[in-house]
Structure formats: structure tokens, C-alpha cells
Amino acid sequence: MRIGICALFGALAVFDAACSHPAAPSIDRDLFEAAIPQLEALYRSHKYTVTEVVRWHLGRIQHYNGIYRALQTVDERGALAAAAREDEDAKAAGGNFAPGPLWGIPIVTKANTSVKGLVTTDGWSGYKIPGHELIAPRDATIVARLRAAGAVIIGQTNMPDFAASDTNRSSAYGRTGNAYDVRFSPGGSSGGTVTAVTSNYAVLGNGTDTGNSIRMPASTSSVVGVFPTRGLVSIAGIAPLDWLLDNTGPIARDVTDAAIALGVMAGEDPLDSATIGSAAKAQPGPYTQYLKADALKGRRFGVPAFILEGAGIPFQGMPASESAAEVKRDTDANRLPLQPETRQAFLRALEGLRAAGATVVFDDSILPDSFAVTVARVGTLPYIREGTERFLAEFGPAQYHSADEYRKAVGSPLPATIIGGEHFRAVGQEDAPKRRSITQAVFEKDPQAAANVLVPRQKALAIYGETLDRMHLDGYVYPAAQMPPPDETMPQDGKLSEGPHSDTGWVNMIGVPAVVVPGGFYPSGLPFGLELSARLWKDGDLLGWAYAYEQATHHRRPPVLVERGLLSDPR
């Protein structure tokens, strides 16, 4: 059980000069791979100040970020100022000091997540145009909660434009490399966060996920990525790709840190209607209470048949207006076979589940292709502009609070990716025939909203739950990606790499919780990630399973970072 940070300084008379000594020679050993409980113990013993810990992480960023390019923005001044305030607050409070659960913990945030005073690039150069930058007027809801818990934000992580890619190339900053081999993709769109966290630039960070973008990158980098039940954590203040599918959650090096961070991030927010009423539905916190080494004993997990078969589910689905021919075209274009080396890695990873006391069930009736067809009819494309308009209205800069105001201020429109428009093509469909224009509507007022989203979502959720009941399952288990991370120094299938793809966007379409844990390594030395999903609002149980798997296997192995980049052009 985690030691409560509120008790860290309760027995101390003062937080004094002992905390401002020069960094000891052992600091690299103490802070490398340090988790939150370890840092708490170091602070409690007065071995290091928050300022020293933050400076150590900033030093790693300075040394390696030019090679791996995980951070778009390093807020050294803001981070050191926050660290100094925390040191002074602790010193002044003495024995009455009661810090928050993330006190003194260096974190990073994704570049689509508003941090007051910093540019929310969303990965796109259009939000960085001099004189027209999207400078956040205030913090996103999760950023405000992380700060209130004592976290120190040291930078914003690189991401692809609008989070709309399975690899991590950005028009705002270039390409992020995989920490285990800089030539390879870390996945997208949270590739910057996973590279930063696995490389010890920070203890943890947030990712966002519209179709796989927390979970697939976590799988490439031997970290834990949490996709909470949609509605457990607010997405207010996060630039949307598709607000009906978007979610945010923690990325950390172990499950304990992820559970602590999720407890801070979770909560109702009037700016995000999906969170209203969540407190009554969710398992109660703190989430660390569910972390038990025997949490997998007697549990049963089914393997979705459609993932093994690679059934095609178009990203953002297919609105009810699409004809049968269009549905077949989109489904065929999105078929994604499970690659043999990934199948083998998955089967090896399952041995850890079994060793921890779980049963794994393979059966052709467990979420077959017909489930994929049902969930693919959750069609959100007609409503993407609404999300962008809401975000700009609340978190846009003084110059523009709508898409029209952006066009007038800058002289060019926002891209169709986030407002809809002619010949819109979704992520992962670059080779598919162009989609016809889909008229944008307001979800809450659209008579077709039920047919496009609500009815197929309920049908898919019913199948999801009925299968759990019929097969006496606790959850599902499957690979977090359909393939290993690709080498981005050479063409893949005759074209520029689009990153590793997954068959996990269905999780977003129905909003159930999922988590990725390190599941071992490919023969190449690149990580493999195992994904688990559970019933709605069973986030605590899910984290318990992930913890038990982590403790049974200890698969995480930190990368060995290189001193020089291997690519002449980081983009």
C-alpha cells in the first residue's frame, strides 16, 4: 500500500537547510526510474529538494531531447519557479506540512493540453504562427488538478498534427524517435509522452486517445498507459480531434504511479458533460487500494476474435447515411491483419497472466467480426467541428474563439481534420478512396444523432457485456498493436512509415476502460504491450489486474539512450 504523502512531513519539526544541500553523487542512482513512492521517501528523508529533482530531470532533457525530440516545449523557468515555491512552502509549514499526492513530482503534458501561458500547438504549425499563437488563457481541467496535487510541469510533449496519426511527426516540431531505437516509431499520437516518460525526462505524463493514442504508443515503449472509462476524467481544455471519441489518461513507468495520477485526474467537471454523475458510477478511490499482487487469481479473460482476424473498423466509424457499398469499401480498406511476430509476442505475454492465476479463453464467438461491424457504425464524423468550436470558445486566445475567427485573424482556415469539409479522409485511411463531404451538425440538436452514434454504441456495449456474461469473463485481453514498431529510416510497404497500427479504436467508440502494460520484448529488442479492458466504471479492478500482471512478470526494462542521433534529419 502506498504511503500517504500527507504524512510525509507530519512528524517533522522543520523543513530546513538540510533540504538545500548540493546534490549527492548518488543522485543518478536514486532518481533513475524513481517512482512516486520512492521520491516521497527521498523528500521525507530530506535527501533532495524539489528543485534538485526538477533540475536532474531538466538535465536529462537537455542532454537527450535533441536526439529523441520528445518535448516540443521545455518550461525550465516555470518548472524551477514551481519547485522553489514548493520547497519554500514545505520549509515554512514545518511539521504542519500536508502536501498533495503528486507533490514534487516532475511531469509532462501533451501539446494539445492547455497550460496557462504556453502555446497549445496541438502539434500543428498553424497554432504557432508568430503573432497568432494559440496561447492558453488558463489550464485544462486535468492540468489544474495535477498542479493542485503538487505536480511540477516541466514541458509539453511532441505530437502529430491534431493527434491525427499513428506515428509522431509534427509540423510544429518534427519527428519523435523511439527511446529503444531512435530509428523506430514510438507510435502516435502520444509518442512524445511515452518517449519522455520511458527516458526519465519526467516521472509521468498525460496522453490523449481518440482511437489508440495512449495505448498503442505505451506498447512501443514499455510503459503503462491508461484509457479511463469515458467520463471519469475531464477532457475540457484539450484540443479535440473528435470530442465524441477523445479521452485522456496517465502514462507512467509502473501501475502504482498511473493509479495515483488517475486518482488526481478523475472527477466531475461542468465543462465536460460526460463527467457529470461519474462519482456515483465509478469505483471509489484511491485507486491504489485495488493494487494487489493476487488480483488476477481466478479471473477469466477472453481474446476478441475480430482482433486476431484483423477485422476492419474505420476510424471515427461510418454514419448511418453511408450506403452498403460505402460501408464495404471502408471496412475492406481498414482490414488490419495481426502480424506473425506480434501474435507470437502476444502468446508469450499471456503466460504471465496464467502464471498469476488467470484463465485465458480463446473462442470464435468472443467478439467476432459481427461485433466489429456493429461498433463500426458508431459514426462521429458529422460532429467534429462542434468539438473544435467548443474548445476555442473556452480555451482559445484573445484573437480567436471560433474557427471563423481563426480564419479572419490568420487569413487561412483550420484544416478539415478538425472542422470537417470536402474530401475528408480519416486517420489510417490515407490509401482509401476519398470520402464524400459529410455535413457538420450539432450533436445535441441533430435528429440523426441517435442513428449515427447512440443506437450503435448501445448495441455494441450490449454485445460487449453479454459476451462477458455468457462466457463468464471478467474482461478482455489482446495485443495493443497489430504489428511491431516500424523502422522510419526506410519505406514501409513502399511508402513513408505511418507508424504501428492497432485494432483498438472500438474501445473509444463504446467508452469502456482499458490499460496497456509492458508485455515483454520482440527479438529486435523493441517492446510489446499487452492490453486489458473491463466493464464500464471498473477502472479500479482493471488497474488491479494490471498491477498483478506487472508484479508477476516485471517486463519493464529501461532503454539505453544514445549520445548522438542516428538520423541526419529529425523530421
Side-chain angles (χ1 to χ4, degrees):
M1 180 62 67
R2 172 180 169 260
I3 299 171
I5 196 164
C6 292
L8 289 185
F9 299 104
L12 300 179
V14 291
F15 187 76
D16 57 15
C19 289
S20 57
H21 60 73
S26 62
I27 191 168
D28 286 345
R29 182 181 66 247
D30 289 341
L31 299 189
F32 186 73
E33 294 286 289
I36 293 170
Q38 293 169 279
L39 279 174
E40 290 177 353
L42 290 169
Y43 289 140
R44 186 171 62 249
S45 69
H46 295 176
K47 191 166 187 179
Y48 304 113
T49 64
V50 178
T51 298
E52 288 170 335
V53 169
V54 168
R55 284 193 183 279
W56 184 85
H57 286 88
L58 289 170
R60 286 188 64 84
I61 294 167
Q62 183 178 22
H63 194 72
Y64 293 112
N65 198 51
I67 301 166
Y68 294 93
R69 301 181 70 80
L71 266 65
Q72 283 188 17
T73 303
V74 180
D75 186 19
E76 181 173 352
R77 179 180 298 179
L80 290 174
R85 284 194 300 272
E86 293 197 347
D87 287 334
E88 286 301 315
D89 289 345
K91 182 177 179 180
N96 296 318
F97 188 50
L102 293 178
W103 187 83
I105 304 301
I107 71 167
V108 289
T109 58
K110 193 171 173 180
N112 59 356
T113 305
S114 299
V115 177
K116 184 178 180 179
L118 300 183
V119 178
T120 309
T121 70
D122 203 15
W124 182 49
S125 59
Y127 284 147
K128 288 182 64 180
I129 296 172
H132 301 293
E133 298 93 341
L134 201 168
I135 299 174
R138 57 196 172 110
D139 287 339
T141 298
I142 63 162
V143 172
R145 287 181 172 155
L146 291 164
R147 284 197 206 268
V152 178
I153 298 171
I154 59 177
Q156 295 170 301
T157 59
N158 191 33
M159 58 177 283
D161 297 36
F162 311 114
S165 177
D166 281 346
T167 193
N168 225 72
R169 291 191 194 89
S170 161
S171 67
Y173 189 65
R175 173 189 175 268
T176 300
N178 189 305
Y180 290 84
D181 190 327
V182 71
R183 300 171 300 172
F184 286 75
S185 174
S189 63
S190 300
T193 299
V194 299
T195 295
V197 170
T198 203
S199 301
N200 283 257
Y201 290 6
V203 176
L204 57 89
N206 85 298
T208 63
D209 192 317
T210 312
N212 61 18
S213 288
I214 288 173
R215 295 160 292 136
M216 183 267 284
S219 77
T220 75
S221 298
S222 200
V223 290
V224 176
V226 181
F227 181 98
T229 298
R230 178 64 187 103
L232 184 67
V233 177
S234 172
I235 61 171
I238 296 175
L241 173 56
D242 185 329
W243 67 284
L244 288 170
L245 303 177
D246 293 340
N247 204 351
T248 187
I251 292 170
R253 290 188 294 268
D254 67 30
V255 177
T256 300
D257 284 3
I260 294 168
L262 183 62
V264 170
M265 297 166 73
E268 298 187 29
D269 178 13
L271 291 177
D272 183 351
S273 61
T275 67
I276 304 304
S278 61
K281 304 173 190 174
Q283 291 182 305
Y287 292 108
T288 49
Q289 70 180 298
Y290 303 95
L291 307 188
K292 299 176 182 178
D294 64 352
L296 283 171
K297 287 186 177 179
R299 301 296 182 183
R300 286 169 54 86
F301 297 92
V303 179
F306 82 91
I307 290 180
L308 298 183
E309 296 301 319
I313 301 179
F315 176 66
Q316 297 172 293
M318 299 171 287
S321 60
E322 288 208 9
S323 67
E326 289 169 325
V327 169
K328 185 177 187 309
R329 177 204 65 188
D330 286 354
T331 303
D332 290 346
N334 282 273
R335 182 163 287 277
L336 194 63
L338 185 66
Q339 293 194 1
E341 56 267 53
T342 299
R343 185 183 294 269
Q344 289 304 312
F346 174 56
L347 295 176
R348 288 193 301 269
L350 292 180
E351 291 307 311
L353 275 182
R354 296 188 178 103
T359 298
V360 180
V361 181
F362 288 83
D363 190 289
D364 289 345
S365 71
I366 297 175
L367 304 187
D369 280 11
S370 58
F371 171 79
V373 172
T374 300
V375 79
R377 294 316 303 246
V378 179
T380 58
L381 281 171
Y383 313 107
I384 56 174
R385 184 178 182 117
E386 180 181 353
T388 297
E389 297 286 5
R390 285 185 178 182
F391 169 75
L392 290 177
E394 295 286 345
F395 291 89
Q399 291 185 42
Y400 46 90
H401 288 284
S402 69
D404 285 342
E405 287 182 3
Y406 178 90
R407 178 178 51 80
K408 291 174 183 176
V410 175
S412 58
L414 292 171
T417 306
I418 56 170
I419 62 170
E422 294 293 329
H423 306 308
F424 179 82
R425 280 185 283 182
V427 179
Q429 293 182 314
E430 291 82 359
D431 293 334
K434 290 182 177 180
R435 286 189 171 190
R436 60 186 176 80
S437 178
I438 295 178
T439 302
Q440 293 296 297
V442 175
F443 181 74
E444 297 81 0
K445 299 178 180 179
D446 184 18
Q448 289 300 307
N452 285 336
V453 177
L454 300 177
V455 171
R457 176 175 286 168
Q458 285 302 316
K459 287 181 179 178
L461 269 170
I463 296 169
Y464 183 91
E466 183 276 330
T467 303
L468 292 172
D469 294 337
R470 175 173 53 82
M471 300 295 292
H472 306 290
L473 303 173
D474 295 284
Y476 298 97
V477 62
Y478 43 92
Q482 297 291 95
M483 60 195 67
D487 185 342
E488 296 191 321
T489 66
M490 59 183 66
Q492 302 291 324
D493 299 322
K495 59 186 177 182
L496 187 67
S497 169
E498 297 169 354
H501 300 312
S502 81
D503 252 349
T504 62
W506 58 277
V507 172
N508 304 71
M509 296 163 113
I510 61 177
V512 295
V515 63
V516 167
V517 289
F521 290 83
Y522 290 101
S524 65
L526 295 167
F528 168 80
L530 189 71
E531 184 164 342
L532 298 159
S533 64
R535 294 180 188 268
L536 284 170
W537 306 109
K538 297 298 183 182
D539 301 78
D541 290 346
L542 183 66
L543 288 170
W545 303 336
Y547 177 81
Y549 182 81
E550 173 189 75
Q551 296 304 301
T553 59
H554 296 285
H555 280 311
R556 174 163 170 79
R557 186 170 72 233
V560 178
L561 302 185
V562 296
E563 300 291 328
R564 291 187 178 185
L566 302 179
L567 299 178
S568 57
D569 179 6
R571 293 177 182 270

